[in-house]
Structure formats: structure tokens, C-alpha cells
């Protein structure tokens, strides 16, 4: 039967079930994955979506009929696949998830041995091409592998907790909103080892998403966490997306913390303990991270945004940490992969040691380097993105320092901006920052948006 492969993107497969993601696609992925990557042992997990078990069954059938053993870790977060593959020396891993997409979506994320990412350049397009091959005899079965059920939760939590000194953590009050996603069971287990008073919101895993899509980047998804912080007088709040590969923090006032400042806080958390290490950052907003890193004796290294680029550079540079303002945070000792569980623990350790409120730490950084946050403008396609970027470069490029590592960045003495097209959506994205001058940042932000949206 002909299949729809329009769900293949820059980093994964994702689409509406059962139109663009279904049993046939999952089965074929299972058949071709082992032959492409020489895999004999594959870890497979799934988030809380209702179609997850059905996709798992089809995927496992394809894998075992290719002679591959499947190690089922059950309902989990994406990073638990990274952990299993990296820690147990498996040949690869497949996570059944659509991350923060609405409930009717599902998909798959892939890694090979050592939890190295599979991107269009390292095999994703090959998977697509092979499952589209209608000349192949899909009824032929090479061999029969076995499905094993394994429990990795205890070992995974032990790994996560190794990033902080649990005995020195302060007894903070923390609101945690898991959005009815996969993080709930992990929070239930990890709180047993922590001194925090945890106030849980929407902690029951529920694939119907009864309280809305778990995506704290959406303004409408933030107010419940913020309101709970104020109601209970919490020291901070944490919210997760559906597969908890990202976490988002709120201060004690209930204010959302931009991902840019999170990168700076995490760089500080690592460099306080590990002076001289390298920190990976991306071009959208940079000055805060550079200053913190250099002041603590570290080396800042710029990298194009996108998980496969950052993971590769983490290995190449032997960097201890890498961060994106999209709330993806990468850790050398976590197989150079991103985790949503490690960051909030590190921030709360930093907060407890500082003796300050989180808003006070944040206000110091915002005052030094105010940012616009990422502002999206819908465009008609990649040609329009190129046209807008070309126009902006002609206007500003002659008097500023131009970089094209990721989209267009132009630096001036007291302000800078980055303009780039989205890899996954029809948007052009603008970020503006300034040195200690919020008014200048706002003026330049509005000036650029007017040109972009003409």
C-alpha cells in the first residue's frame, strides 16, 4: 500500500494519527531501521498519547521481524530513551512521541548507538526512502527477535540526581506542572529523594490532555503554573512539555523566565563547579551567556541552533553544557543529549546557594541584557524568508558586524539582532538584545518588525 511520508521533518517523524502516522509506517520503520544502522538491540519507549500502544506494537513487529531484539521501557520521556541507549550500550533507540503537539498527533524520534542523533544528514532521509520503496517484498521476514520489558526508572533517576548535591539542597517550595504529560510518574518518584515541598498540578498522565496541550511556550498554557505559585507562596515553578525533554521555569512572582536567561543560569551552575570548561551557545541571543561564561573562567563556543548541530559540537569541543533559548539543554555526561529533568534541579541548587530570590537573580541579568524574546512572523515560504533577510541585510549590514552561522545576525556596539527562518513552521523569527538599555532594544525591535511585516 502507498504511504504518506509528509510527516518526515528536520528532526523526526510527526503527524496526525492515523493519516500521516499509522501502523503501516511504524511497521516499515521497524523493518528498515536495523538494516540501516546495524542494530541488534533497540530501546523503544512511548509518551502518554492514546495511539502510542498501537504504534508500539506495529513498530516492534517490524523490528523483531528484522531479527532485532526490542527493549520496551514503557511510558516514558524522550530523554529516558537517550539514557537507556547511552547507559546500556544499545544499538539505537526509538521514542514514540509528538512532544508538545495536540493530542491527535504522534510521531517517532530516533537515535543510533551512543544516543547520537539521526538527522536528515545521518539517516533520516534514508529511512524515508526505504519505507517508500513499493518494489520491496514487505512480507519477507529475515528472522524473529524478542521483545523484553525492562524497568530503567531507578537507574535513570539516580543519573539525574547525580547532577546536584542533594544533601545541600535547600527546602524550597516548588510548583510543578506536568501538563498531564509523561513527567508525572518521574516527579512522583524523584520527589522521594528531594527536600522540596512539591505542589503538583495536572500530574496524572492523560493522553486526552484534559487541561490543554502541554506546551508552556504558549501564553495560554502558563497561567495555571503562575497562579499556583502566587496562591501557595512558592519559591518558583516548573512546567514541562508532553515528553519532558524541555522544562520551563517561573520565579516566585509567577513570571515566566525566558529560555535565554536559563542558558546563562545553567552555564553558571556548571562553571561554579567546573572552571575552564566549554559552554555551547547559539546565535539568537548571546551576550549574557558569553559574559557569565568568561567571568567564571569558561570558554563560550557558538553553534548553529538545532539539536543535531549542538550534539555534534558538544562532542567535537568536549563541552560540558550546551543550551538553546528554545529550552533544550544538553549535557556532556548525559551522552551529549538534552534533558528536561536536569535543568530545574540545577537552577534550584543555584537558587538555594545564592541566598536570593529567583526574581532577583533574573532582574540582574535582564537589566544588563534586555531581550525581545523570539517574535514570529508568518511567511508564505522559504523564498519569502530569503527575500526578507536580504532586505534587512542591505539596510543594516553596512554598519554592523554580520554573521550567517544561523540565519542573519548583525552586531552593533550596544545592540544586536538575529533573524532566521524556522526549520519546522512557516515563520521568520526575530530576536533583539541590547546592552543595559531596554528602550533601545524595544525601539530596534519595533523598527525591524515594521520592515519585516511591510
Amino acid at each position: 500500500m502507498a504511504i504518506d511520508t509528509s510527516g518526515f521533518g528536520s528532526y523526526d517523524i510527526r503527524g496526525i494519527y492515523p493519516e500521516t502516522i499509522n501502523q503501516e509506517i511504524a511497521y516499515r520503520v521497524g523493518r528498515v531501521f536495523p538494516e540501516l544502522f546495524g542494530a541488534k538491540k533497540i530501546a523503544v519507549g512511548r509518551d502518554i498519547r492514546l495511539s502510542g500502544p498501537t504504534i508500539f506494537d506495529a513498530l516492534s513487529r517490524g523490528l523483531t521481524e528484522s531479527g532485532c531484539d526490542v527493549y520496551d521501557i514503557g511510558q516514558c520521556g524522550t530523554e529516558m530513551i537517550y539514557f537507556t541507549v547511552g547507559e546500556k550500550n544499545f544499538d539505537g533507540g526509538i521514542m514514540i512521541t509528538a512532544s508538545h503537539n495536540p493530542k491527535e498527533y504522534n510521531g517517532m524520534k530516533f537515535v543510533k548507538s551512543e544516543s547520537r542523533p539521526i538527522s536528515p544528514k545521518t539517516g533520516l532521509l534514508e529511512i524515508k526512502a526505504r519505507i517508500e520503496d513499493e518494489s520491496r517484498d514487505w512480507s519477507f521476514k529475515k528472522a524473529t527477535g524478542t521483545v523484553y520489558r525492562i524497568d530503567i526508572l531507578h537507574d535513570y533517576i539516580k543519573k539525574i540526581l547525580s547532577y546536584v548535591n542533594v544533601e545541600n539542597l535547600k527546602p524550597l517550595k516548588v510548583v510543578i506542572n506536568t501538563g498531564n504529560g509523561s513527567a508525572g510518574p518521574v516527579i512522583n518518584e524523584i520527589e522521594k529523594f528531594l527536600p522540596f515541598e512539591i505542589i503538583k498540578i495536572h500530574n496524572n498522565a492523560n493522553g486526552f490532555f484534559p487541561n490543554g496541550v502541554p506546551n508552556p511556550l504558549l501564553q495560554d498554557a502558563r497561567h495555571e503554573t503562575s497562579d499556583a505559585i502566587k496562591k501557595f507562596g512558592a519559591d518558583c515553578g516548573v512546567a514541562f512539555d508532553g515528553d519532558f525533554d524541555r522544562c520551563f521555569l517561573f520565579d516566585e512572582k509567577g513570571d515566566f523566565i525566558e529560555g535565554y536567561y536559563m542558558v546563562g543560569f545553567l552555564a553558571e551552575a556548571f562553571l561554579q563547579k567546573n572552571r575552564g570548561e566549554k559552554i555551547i551557545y547559539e546565535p539568537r541571543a548571546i551576550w549574557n551567556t558569553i559574559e557569565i561564561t568568561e567571568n567564571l573562567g569558561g570558554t563560550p563556543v557558538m553553534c548553529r541552533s538545532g539539536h543535531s548541530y549542538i550534539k555534534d559540537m558538544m562532542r567535537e569541543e568536549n563541552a560540558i553544557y550546551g543550551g538553546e533559548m528554545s529550552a533544550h539543554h544538553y549535557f556532556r555526561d548525559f551522552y551529549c543529549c538534552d534533558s528536561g529533568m536536569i535543568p530545574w534541579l540545577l537552577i534550584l541548587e543555584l537558587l538555594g546557594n545564592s541566598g536570593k530570590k529567583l526574581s532577583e537573580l533574573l532582574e540582574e541579568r535582564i537589566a544588563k541584557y534586555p531581550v525581545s524574546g523570539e517574535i514570529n512572523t508568518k511567511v508564505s515560504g522559504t523564498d519569502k524568508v530569503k527575500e526578507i533577510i536580504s532586505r534587512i541585510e542591505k539596510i543594516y549590514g553596512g554598519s554592523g558586524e554580520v554573521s550567517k552561522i544561523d540565519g542573519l545576525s548583525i552586531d552593533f556596539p550596544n545592540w544586536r539582532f538575529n533573524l532566521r527562518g524556522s526549520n519546522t513552521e512557516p515563520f521568520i523569527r526575530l530576536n533583539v538584545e541590547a546592552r543595559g538599555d531596554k528602550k533601545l532594544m524595544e525601539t530596534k525591535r519595533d523598527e525591524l518588525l515594521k520592515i519585516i511585516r511591510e
Side-chain angles (χ1 to χ4, degrees):
M1 61 178 288
I3 58 172
D4 181 354
T5 55
S6 61
F8 277 78
S10 298
Y11 308 120
D12 55 22
I13 309 173
R14 201 177 300 185
I16 295 174
Y17 177 86
E19 285 81 9
T20 48
I21 293 294
N22 51 45
Q23 293 96 311
E24 182 66 21
I25 287 178
Y27 171 74
R28 293 192 184 190
V29 167
R31 289 291 299 272
V32 307
F33 191 93
E35 66 191 40
L36 270 171
F37 302 104
K40 297 295 183 184
K41 297 167 62 177
I42 297 288
V44 180
R46 54 184 171 81
D47 68 15
I48 41 67
R49 293 169 191 275
L50 303 180
S51 57
T54 302
I55 293 176
F56 171 83
D57 289 343
L59 174 64
S60 296
R61 185 163 55 89
L63 288 167
T64 55
E65 288 180 5
S66 295
C68 186
D69 288 336
V70 173
Y71 290 79
D72 171 19
I73 69 171
Q75 180 184 297
C76 63
T78 296
E79 66 191 66
M80 295 171 77
I81 285 289
Y82 301 154
F83 168 79
T84 305
V85 174
E87 194 73 11
K88 309 296 184 184
N89 296 315
F90 287 174
D91 303 318
I94 301 175
M95 176 66 185
I96 300 166
T97 181
S99 188
H100 57 275
N101 285 80
K103 62 184 178 182
E104 62 269 21
Y105 282 74
N106 215 326
M108 286 176 275
K109 297 180 179 179
F110 308 99
V111 292
K112 49 189 175 181
S113 60
E114 299 179 332
S115 288
R116 291 177 180 266
I118 295 176
S119 65
K121 290 184 177 180
T122 58
L124 192 59
L125 294 181
E126 273 295 311
I127 294 174
K128 179 175 183 286
R130 293 199 185 193
I131 71 171
E132 289 173 331
D133 183 3
E134 297 302 333
S135 66
R136 179 176 181 142
D137 180 7
W138 292 100
S139 65
F140 173 75
K141 301 172 184 178
K142 178 181 178 182
T144 300
T146 303
V147 177
Y148 299 95
R149 180 70 172 91
I150 61 171
D151 185 356
I152 54 91
L153 183 60
H154 176 78
D155 290 344
Y156 161 73
I157 286 177
K158 183 178 179 182
K159 178 73 171 181
I160 296 301
L161 290 175
S162 71
Y163 279 83
V164 294
N165 186 338
V166 175
E167 293 181 356
N168 288 340
L169 292 175
K170 302 297 189 294
L172 302 172
K173 185 184 291 188
V174 186
V175 168
I176 295 186
N177 184 351
T178 61
N180 301 116
S182 297
V186 175
I187 294 299
N188 290 341
E189 188 64 24
I190 203 170
E191 74 170 327
K192 299 174 184 177
F193 304 94
L194 299 170
F196 308 139
E197 178 186 345
I198 296 180
I199 300 157
K200 302 171 189 174
I201 299 178
H202 309 322
N203 201 59
N204 295 326
N206 188 331
F208 286 103
F209 294 156
N211 296 288
V213 179
N215 181 11
L217 282 180
L218 301 176
Q219 292 282 351
D220 292 343
R222 298 177 186 174
H223 69 91
E224 289 179 303
T225 309
S226 180
D227 291 346
I229 292 168
K230 298 170 189 174
K231 177 181 177 180
F232 293 101
D235 295 293
C236 64
V238 184
F240 293 95
D241 67 358
D243 64 336
F244 71 86
D245 61 349
R246 295 180 300 160
C247 72
F248 303 81
L249 264 74
F250 298 72
D251 67 21
E252 81 285 353
K253 298 178 181 178
D255 292 335
F256 181 81
I257 298 178
E258 288 286 348
Y260 173 43
Y261 300 110
M262 283 282 291
V263 176
F265 285 147
L266 288 166
E268 181 177 352
F270 274 104
L271 291 171
Q272 282 183 350
K273 301 175 184 178
N274 307 274
R275 293 186 72 86
E277 294 279 4
K278 293 181 179 179
I279 302 294
I280 303 292
Y281 66 99
E282 39 115 356
R284 284 181 277 187
I286 66 174
W287 283 338
N288 181 62
T289 307
I290 290 173
E291 180 182 86
I292 288 172
T293 301
E294 292 181 340
N295 285 349
L296 290 172
T299 302
V301 180
M302 184 185 285
C303 177
R304 180 178 176 179
S305 60
H307 82 105
S308 58
Y309 299 109
I310 291 182
K311 289 172 180 176
D312 286 345
M313 186 164 281
M314 290 277 291
R315 287 184 164 92
E316 183 181 322
E317 296 287 342
N318 193 32
I320 195 168
Y321 162 72
E324 293 183 278
M325 55 183 288
S326 59
H328 284 285
H329 302 281
Y330 307 83
F331 306 92
R332 181 176 65 202
D333 294 335
F334 198 69
Y335 329 103
C336 295
C337 289
D338 41 327
S339 164
M341 279 293 160
I342 296 170
W344 69 276
L345 291 171
L346 285 168
I347 297 296
L348 266 62
E349 181 181 44
L350 183 72
L351 176 62
N353 292 337
S354 74
K356 297 181 179 180
K357 295 178 179 179
L358 189 51
S359 66
E360 293 173 338
L361 295 177
L362 185 62
E363 285 164 4
E364 292 173 7
R365 305 317 305 177
I366 291 175
K368 294 200 77 169
Y369 297 106
V371 296
S372 64
E374 190 153 80
I375 304 170
N376 295 319
T377 301
K378 196 165 187 177
V379 292
S380 56
T382 55
D383 289 342
K384 190 63 176 177
V385 169
K386 291 177 183 177
E387 177 191 323
I388 292 170
I389 289 178
S390 177
R391 187 190 327 150
I392 294 291
E393 184 179 4
K394 287 178 182 177
I395 295 171
Y396 292 93
S399 54
E401 182 180 338
V402 176
S403 169
K404 296 184 180 180
I405 290 176
D406 193 354
L408 174 69
S409 297
I410 302 184
D411 290 28
F412 301 90
N414 294 316
W415 73 284
R416 68 180 299 278
F417 71 90
N418 173 266
L419 189 64
R420 60 192 285 272
S422 168
N423 290 321
T424 57
E425 298 174 285
F427 292 116
I428 190 166
R429 308 190 191 280
L430 174 68
N431 286 275
V432 184
E433 63 181 318
R435 296 187 190 274
D437 191 337
K438 184 179 179 183
K439 182 65 177 175
L440 174 64
M441 180 275 293
E442 291 171 342
T443 298
K444 294 301 182 181
R445 174 199 66 196
D446 295 344
E447 185 180 290
L448 283 158
L449 284 175
K450 183 178 179 182
I451 298 170
I452 291 166
R453 294 172 176 175
E454 282 178 349

